[in-house]
Amino acid sequence: MRKFKTESKKLLDLMANSIYTNREIFLRELISNASDALDKLYIQSLTDKGIERSAFEIEVAYDEKARTVTVTDNGIGMDDDSLEKNLGTIAHSGSQEFEAEAEAGKDEIDIIGQFGVGFYSSFMVADKVTVTSRPYGSEQAWRWESDGVEGYTIKEAERNERGTEVVLHLRENTDDEDYDTFCTQYTLEKLIKRYSNYVRYPIMMEVSKQVEKPRPEDAGDDYKPEYETHTERQQINSMIPIWTRKQSEVSDEEYNEFYKSNFHDFRDPLRTISLHAEGTLEYDALLYIPTEPPMDMYSRDFEKGLALYSSNVMIMEECPDLLPDHFGFVRGVVDTKDLNLNISRETLQKDRQVQAIERHLEKRITSELEKMLADERDTYDEFFQKFGQSFKYGIYSSYGALTDSLADLLLFYSAAEEHDVTLKEYCEAAAADQKSIFFATGETIEMVAKTPSVQAVREKGYDVLLSTDGTDELCFMSMNKYDDKDFRNVAQGDLGIESESDKEAAKKANEENADLFSTVGDKLPDEVKEVIASPRLTGSDDAASCVTAAGQVSIAMAKYFASMPNNEGAPKFEYVLELNTHHKLFADLQDAVKAKDDEKVSQYATILLDQALIAEGIGVEDPTAFNEAINALIA
Ligand code: ADP
């Protein structure tokens, strides 16, 4: 017996004794070795015309009684030297990394999970492996055999055909592990389809089916159909990956079927994107934008990801690193040649190629959406209703870093247009000297549209974006600017649109009524920081009063923060009560102050504040006091 090299022994030890759960990948590893062996012969066949390529195949067989699983190929094969070199040491490409990690004393299970480790993974399910191989161009076959513990033997053997046969003698079942499952048609078929469906050589297996026996001609009404087991050799993998085919050669129906059968959706996708990148970065990708968001898309449990293949073999079912979060709803497949089959999660994340692919895909998805926005506005509007939240989230969770890539995909309701518009459309419709994008937030579009602060801005000829989503303001604030315009909440301080004469008039009114404003202020709750003459409510038909936010934090934001759990640190909110000095109520208030009618002043103050709060959709704190004040004045 020949002894395993130290690093092989260590690895085999881990294989046999680890509690690593993903044992089923052994089949993927063996099939991909078989496929590589056929690739090598294929290359040979380019110069050697005697090789018949159409016969290339891989076979998976099982024997329930003997408890064996056999993977056979008619590829390049191995002689005794190759068996020694390839199976006596860790030959797989991840081996150096493995050794480094093993030396660093990392968690052993983790190491196996990361590297999968090719051929040796057989020992996760088998306690004896026999490899019989006859190399291409030789009559002599060789047999390598090992229990995966100390060493292995290599002996001369007989084999009629060229290629390699790997027989796994399954381990005994334990309380925790059922190895029998690996010699069932059901499991093997499932694993071939899951991991090796697109291997480019046929993977054949004997499958048995129950078929109905022919019905006897004299069968009466009470005839019960009889069945017999029918065995047939079948190709299990579908071979040609749909994503490598040219878009022009695949029907919409085929694309849709692939989507539905692979991504757990019964609806057709909204968009299909097929990509074939060549040059420094080579990959094929097939992406789908779904019609409806997945149920859990806005929950914490949601996991984004694209299936990642390397040369038609699946490496990862959902690789999150291929998509930015804001396009997390996109489903699909990426296939790139140059990735190591057993690349680890951590290494993938840092992999330059994966990062470059992610950037490519992001650009491509963005341009697809921009095209939809330009050419099929209704479809985009509907799409945005369902998925747009994740773009806004992308902007504010990145503190505005993603503004450039996402701002043009956003839609907001325009008060002037009475439908959703893009920021670009808003700006195009604005006057050349407009310096800000105005917005307002509230419970419903109808309610916000009617607030005095919105009305006042609209009357001056400006459009206002109306929002009912508490996070929109976060999004505006994170963007900071769009097209050189800042974002302004209309219910907040100075908007920079008041005319000089209005400002001047308000300043004068503030000076003249200084005593009145402080008297009124004294009657109001602490949240009212200041009472002033409104620079925006200036007509006798305008509302009598409005409230604006005193500080940096708008009313909507303060409400949003207050509604969050653990809101102790939430910014405290203060209003400025603006009074329309041209309104009849103001004249009445002036009279009451002059007459030193304290009670009446109190009633006016209550009404003016509460009216403003109601108009903003905030609601009054004490409706009874509000009603009493009104009743007292109209009585
Ligand atoms: P990897 O496939 O990552 O190189 P493995 O440990 O799975 O690592 O296999 C080691 C080597 O053994 C392969 O590189 C290949 O040269 C050889 N080998 C394995 N299986 C076969 C096979 N079915 N036919 C021919 N050669 C094989």
Side-chain angles (χ1 to χ4, degrees), residues 20-31 69 71 112 116 118 121-125 168 170 177-179 181-182 186-188 190-196 314 317:
Y20 182 54
T21 48
N22 206 13
R23 293 174 195 277
E24 64 187 32
I25 60 147
F26 79 89
L27 190 64
R28 173 190 85 175
E29 301 292 318
L30 294 183
I31 289 175
V69 178
V71 179
I112 295 188
S121 62
S122 314
F123 290 101
M124 293 199 289
V125 297
L168 310 187
L170 295 176
E177 288 294 337
D178 169 25
Y179 296 101
T181 182
F182 295 119
Y186 174 80
T187 303
L188 292 171
K190 188 179 73 180
L191 294 180
I192 294 169
K193 286 217 168 84
R194 176 176 301 164
Y195 293 108
S196 313
M314 188 172 79
E317 213 158 2

Side-chain angles (χ1 to χ4, degrees), residues 29-30 32-37 40 73 75-78 82 86-87 89-94 117-120 133 163-166 340 342:
E29 301 292 318
L30 294 183
S32 100
N33 279 350
S35 162
D36 288 349
K40 286 177 193 156
D73 64 73
I76 192 90
M78 286 176 277
S82 319
N86 294 330
L87 306 186
T89 49
I90 310 178
H92 73 98
S93 15
V117 289
F119 171 76
Y120 283 170
S133 195
T164 305
E165 174 197 84
V166 181
N340 172 0
N342 295 309

Side-chain angles (χ1 to χ4, degrees), residues 367-591:
S367 72
E368 186 70 28
L369 292 173
E370 282 170 349
K371 204 164 131 254
M372 196 197 301
L373 177 69
D375 303 342
E376 288 174 63
R377 186 55 178 264
D378 288 348
T379 313
Y380 188 83
D381 282 359
E382 214 174 296
F383 161 82
F384 188 81
Q385 292 305 326
K386 294 171 188 159
F387 295 91
Q389 194 63 30
S390 58
F391 304 159
K392 295 179 194 169
Y393 180 77
I395 289 182
Y396 63 78
S397 65
S398 70
Y399 303 103
L402 291 173
T403 303
D404 282 352
S405 36
L406 292 177
D408 283 325
L409 293 177
L410 300 177
L411 293 180
F412 297 99
Y413 188 87
S414 146
E417 301 294 332
E418 298 185 339
H419 59 72
D420 283 353
V421 297
T422 61
L423 292 172
K424 199 161 163 223
E425 287 161 351
Y426 178 97
C427 292
E428 277 164 6
D433 60 347
Q434 184 174 333
K435 293 195 178 59
S436 304
I437 295 172
F438 298 109
F439 69 93
T441 53
E443 298 282 318
T444 67
I445 295 291
E446 292 72 26
M447 275 167 69
V448 205
K450 286 188 197 133
T451 57
S453 39
V454 169
Q455 295 283 331
V457 177
R458 297 273 292 115
E459 264 165 36
K460 292 201 162 68
Y462 298 101
D463 190 7
V464 179
L465 299 175
L466 307 180
S467 144
T468 56
D469 178 349
T471 58
D472 277 359
E473 185 158 3
L474 273 179
C475 179
F476 291 133
M477 293 302 116
S478 312
M479 281 192 275
N480 192 27
K481 276 195 172 174
Y482 179 88
D483 193 22
D484 261 351
K485 295 180 176 39
D486 62 0
F487 291 91
R488 297 233 180 167
N489 187 328
V490 294
Q492 206 166 6
D494 184 1
L495 293 179
I497 53 170
E498 295 79 10
S499 68
E500 280 311 311
S501 59
D502 281 348
K503 273 199 221 166
E504 203 44 51
K507 195 174 161 219
K508 223 170 120 210
N510 276 328
E511 283 161 10
E512 282 169 4
N513 296 296
D515 287 347
L516 179 142
F517 288 144
S518 98
T519 312
V520 172
D522 289 345
K523 310 277 181 221
L524 293 172
D526 287 349
E527 290 89 69
V528 180
K529 191 174 167 231
E530 212 183 353
V531 183
I532 59 165
S534 177
R536 68 190 97 203
L537 303 174
T538 49
S540 53
D541 293 339
D542 289 345
S545 58
C546 70
V547 283
T548 59
Q552 285 298 311
V553 182
S554 74
I555 300 173
M557 276 333 292
K559 278 202 328 195
Y560 176 74
F561 288 132
S563 71
M564 305 280 268
N566 306 325
N567 59 6
E568 279 134 47
K572 198 168 152 295
F573 186 70
E574 289 181 317
Y575 302 111
V576 172
L577 176 63
E578 294 187 9
L579 300 184
N580 179 353
T581 52
H582 304 275
H583 198 278
K584 175 158 185 311
L585 262 184
F586 187 76
D588 294 346
L589 173 66
Q590 276 177 319
D591 290 346

Side-chain angles (χ1 to χ4, degrees), residues 81-334:
D81 281 347
S82 319
L83 282 168
E84 165 75 33
K85 189 164 71 81
N86 294 330
L87 306 186
T89 49
I90 310 178
H92 73 98
S93 15
S95 64
Q96 278 157 355
E97 285 177 74
F98 165 76
E99 283 166 43
E101 301 260 338
E103 245 158 55
K106 286 245 179 101
D107 184 352
E108 294 176 345
I109 295 154
D110 216 38
I111 300 171
I112 295 188
Q114 283 180 27
F115 299 112
V117 289
F119 171 76
Y120 283 170
S121 62
S122 314
F123 290 101
M124 293 199 289
V125 297
D127 51 17
K128 186 166 97 178
V129 178
T130 312
V131 181
T132 311
S133 195
R134 194 180 115 187
Y136 164 68
S138 161
E139 293 297 314
Q140 180 64 54
W142 299 88
R143 177 163 300 141
W144 179 99
E145 191 164 81
S146 172
D147 59 2
V149 184
E150 287 296 326
Y152 52 92
T153 55
I154 296 176
K155 293 190 178 132
E156 286 190 18
E158 301 243 334
R159 190 174 152 72
N160 292 336
E161 289 175 71
R162 165 199 79 214
T164 305
E165 174 197 84
V166 181
V167 183
L168 310 187
H169 303 264
L170 295 176
R171 289 170 177 274
E172 290 303 323
N173 292 334
T174 64
D175 288 347
D176 303 326
E177 288 294 337
D178 169 25
Y179 296 101
D180 283 348
T181 182
F182 295 119
C183 55
T184 62
Q185 178 183 323
Y186 174 80
T187 303
L188 292 171
E189 217 179 322
K190 188 179 73 180
L191 294 180
I192 294 169
K193 286 217 168 84
R194 176 176 301 164
Y195 293 108
S196 313
N197 203 23
Y198 304 109
V199 165
R200 59 192 161 279
Y201 304 102
I203 302 172
M204 307 300 292
M205 191 165 99
E206 288 264 331
V207 289
S208 42
K209 281 190 200 130
Q210 294 288 318
V211 277
E212 193 179 330
K213 283 188 186 173
R215 203 180 166 95
E217 275 178 20
D218 56 354
D221 285 346
D222 57 350
Y223 171 78
K224 287 207 184 76
E226 285 182 28
Y227 293 88
E228 60 187 352
T229 309
H230 182 77
T231 324
E232 198 181 315
R233 203 164 176 268
Q234 257 185 15
Q235 181 181 325
I236 309 296
N237 59 330
S238 73
M239 278 174 54
I240 303 174
I242 189 168
W243 57 84
T244 56
R245 293 164 65 191
K246 276 200 210 124
Q247 190 151 18
S248 55
E249 288 167 8
V250 183
S251 70
D252 289 352
E253 217 167 13
E254 278 178 274
Y255 277 135
N256 292 351
E257 276 317 310
F258 179 77
Y259 170 75
K260 287 190 281 194
S261 58
N262 283 277
F263 300 109
H264 313 291
D265 196 347
F266 58 90
R267 303 173 202 90
D268 285 339
L270 184 62
R271 278 288 185 284
T272 301
I273 307 170
S274 159
L275 267 152
H276 306 283
E278 280 170 10
T280 43
L281 193 62
E282 269 187 47
Y283 68 89
D284 296 305
L286 179 58
L287 306 180
Y288 292 100
I289 299 174
T291 308
E292 293 289 330
M295 295 275 266
D296 57 348
M297 179 168 144
Y298 293 113
S299 85
R300 261 173 214 281
D301 300 332
F302 178 70
E303 280 175 26
K304 59 172 182 154
L306 299 175
L308 179 61
Y309 282 76
S310 177
S311 300
N312 307 338
V313 176
M314 188 172 79
I315 302 184
M316 204 185 279
E317 213 158 2
E318 284 195 337
C319 174
D321 309 308
L322 292 165
L323 283 176
D325 284 344
H326 52 270
F327 291 150
F329 51 84
V330 174
R331 314 306 308 271
V333 174
V334 172

